[in-house]
Structures are given as structure tokens and as C-alpha cells.
Amino acid sequence: MKKRIAIFASGSGSNAQKIMEHFKYSQEAEVSLVLTNNPDAYVLQRADNFEVPSHLFDRHDFFETDEVVELLQRMQIDLIVLAGFLWLVPENLLKAYPNKIINIHPALLPQYGGKGMYGDRVHKAVLANKEGESGITIHFVNERFDEGEIIYQARFKIEKGDTLEMIKFKGQQLEHQHFPKVVENLLKKIVPENS
Ligand code: GAR
């Protein structure tokens, strides 16, 4: 049986798209579900384009009920991938999927992480500190923002005169290049729920 991936995203979903592309013809794994807290998220359109089912939930569903956990279990999800998902993961979900939830962050953790550090805010802080490099981090998710064990990092140089848009672009290129492969490698170590 193929291993089953669920992707959580709150916005555009360009990383979700790369992961769906990567596994579209795979015999090993598939993206089985896309979940979002944002009814206007473009990731919903992307999921539709790949004929991947999607699920919308709100704060109450996510933090006060087991609805999302039960859906993931019913769908025999093996790995949860956060790709631009901005809410903290609640304890019921962490407990149900120990070491099976990963996140991508657009900087070199442990720097430039934590609550409120997402998207452009991260890149702005990196630029304000005149860093010579930045990068991406893929890490396991725990009960605190951006603090789980690091799985993979890749870095790029920040040249003099680089704008916010330029470093955002460099980071996004790295994310798209590496995230699907990191997911694939991790899946190799996971025993499927439906075995
Ligand atoms: C990505 O750059 C990801 O690293 C970032 O959100 C973006 C989502 O882009 N995540 C965070 O900042 C989490 N703290 P996408 O919707 O196009 O994949």
C-alpha cells in the first residue's frame, strides 16, 4: 500500500503544490488530503487541480475537538506535513502522530523562529540584522513554535543590495527543491498505518 501524506497549509500552497507534483506518479506514497483553516487559501484550488480532497476547519474544530485527528486516522494518514500552516499544533494531534508531523520554516532555526515569525516577517528580520546568509529549516513539530528537532537545513548567501523579494525568492527556490525529497526520505522510515 502507498503511504499517505496529509498537508496543512494556510495560504498560497506553493510548497504543497511541489509535494503533490512530486508524488503524483509515485508508487510509494500519495498526498491523500489537504487541510486548511483558511476558506480563501489558494491551496484549496491547487488541491482541486490535483484531485486531492481537502478539508476546511476552524479554531473550535482544531483546538476544542478531535474532529481533525479522527479524520486523519480514518484516512490512515502516515505523515503530516505543515507547509505554511500558521497555528500551533494541539496536544491531541501531537500525541496521535509522534514524530510524524514536520514543518518547513523560511530561515535557519533556531534563529528567526517562534510565535509570529512567519513569511515576510522572518525575511525582514534577517535583512534588518544584516545577515550574510539565510536558508530553510525542515523540522519535527512539537508543542512550541519552531522548536522541534531539525531534520534538514539548506542555506543561501545574501548579497549586498538583496531586497526582501530577492531573499524571499531564494528561500522559496530552496524550499521547492528540497522539501519534497525530505518528505520522501522520511516516509521510507515510516511503517504505514494500513500495513
Ligand atoms: C513558506 O515559505 C514557509 O516556509 C513559510 O510559509 C511559506 C508558505 O508558502 N512558513 C512559515 O513561515 C512558518 N513559520 P507557500 O504557501 O507558498 O508554500
Side-chain angles (χ1 to χ4, degrees), residues 72-84:
L72 294 164
Q73 288 177 330
R74 208 161 51 240
M75 292 198 65
Q76 300 185 307
I77 296 301
D78 296 297
L79 181 70
I80 296 170
V81 175
L82 311 188

Side-chain angles (χ1 to χ4, degrees), residues 11-16 83-84 86 103-106 117-119 146 172 175:
S12 162
S14 70
N15 281 285
L86 303 180
N103 178 48
I104 192 159
H105 186 78
M117 284 301 257
Y118 58 86
D146 304 324
Q172 200 174 46
E175 292 188 338

Side-chain angles (χ1 to χ4, degrees), residues 119-120 123 156 163-173:
D120 285 1
H123 302 306
F156 63 84
T163 61
L164 173 69
E165 286 309 315
M166 284 152 93
I167 67 168
K168 194 169 155 179
F169 179 75
K170 290 182 191 180
Q172 200 174 46
Q173 295 287 99

Side-chain angles (χ1 to χ4, degrees), residues 77-112:
I77 296 301
D78 296 297
L79 181 70
I80 296 170
V81 175
L82 311 188
F85 179 66
L86 303 180
W87 289 355
L88 207 56
V89 173
E91 200 185 325
N92 60 347
L93 191 45
L94 289 170
K95 277 211 168 121
Y97 286 90
N99 281 327
K100 290 179 182 173
I101 310 176
I102 65 171
N103 178 48
I104 192 159
H105 186 78
L108 295 170
L109 293 174
Q111 285 188 294
Y112 302 105

Side-chain angles (χ1 to χ4, degrees), residues 3 11 50 56 68 88 93 100 116-117 155 161-162 166 195:
K3 290 177 189 165
F50 282 83
L56 175 67
V68 170
L88 207 56
L93 191 45
K100 290 179 182 173
M117 284 301 257
R155 35 191 88 219
D162 271 4
M166 284 152 93
S195 65

Side-chain angles (χ1 to χ4, degrees), residues 6-88:
I7 302 177
F8 283 66
S10 301
S12 162
S14 70
N15 281 285
Q17 163 110 18
K18 290 291 165 191
I19 295 168
M20 290 189 285
E21 280 170 11
H22 186 85
F23 290 102
K24 190 169 162 62
Y25 300 108
S26 165
Q27 297 302 312
E28 309 300 321
E30 64 170 39
V31 178
S32 306
L33 185 64
V34 165
L35 301 99
T36 186
N37 58 306
N38 175 7
D40 300 320
Y42 187 59
V43 73
L44 289 169
Q45 181 62 53
R46 298 191 199 261
D48 265 5
N49 295 345
F50 282 83
E51 296 178 348
V52 171
S54 53
H55 179 75
L56 175 67
F57 56 85
D58 63 19
R59 237 168 225 292
H60 173 80
D61 302 336
F62 197 52
F63 293 108
E64 312 292 337
T65 78
D66 287 328
E67 184 193 294
V68 170
V69 175
E70 283 168 8
L71 173 64
L72 294 164
Q73 288 177 330
R74 208 161 51 240
M75 292 198 65
Q76 300 185 307
I77 296 301
D78 296 297
L79 181 70
I80 296 170
V81 175
L82 311 188
F85 179 66
L86 303 180
W87 289 355
L88 207 56

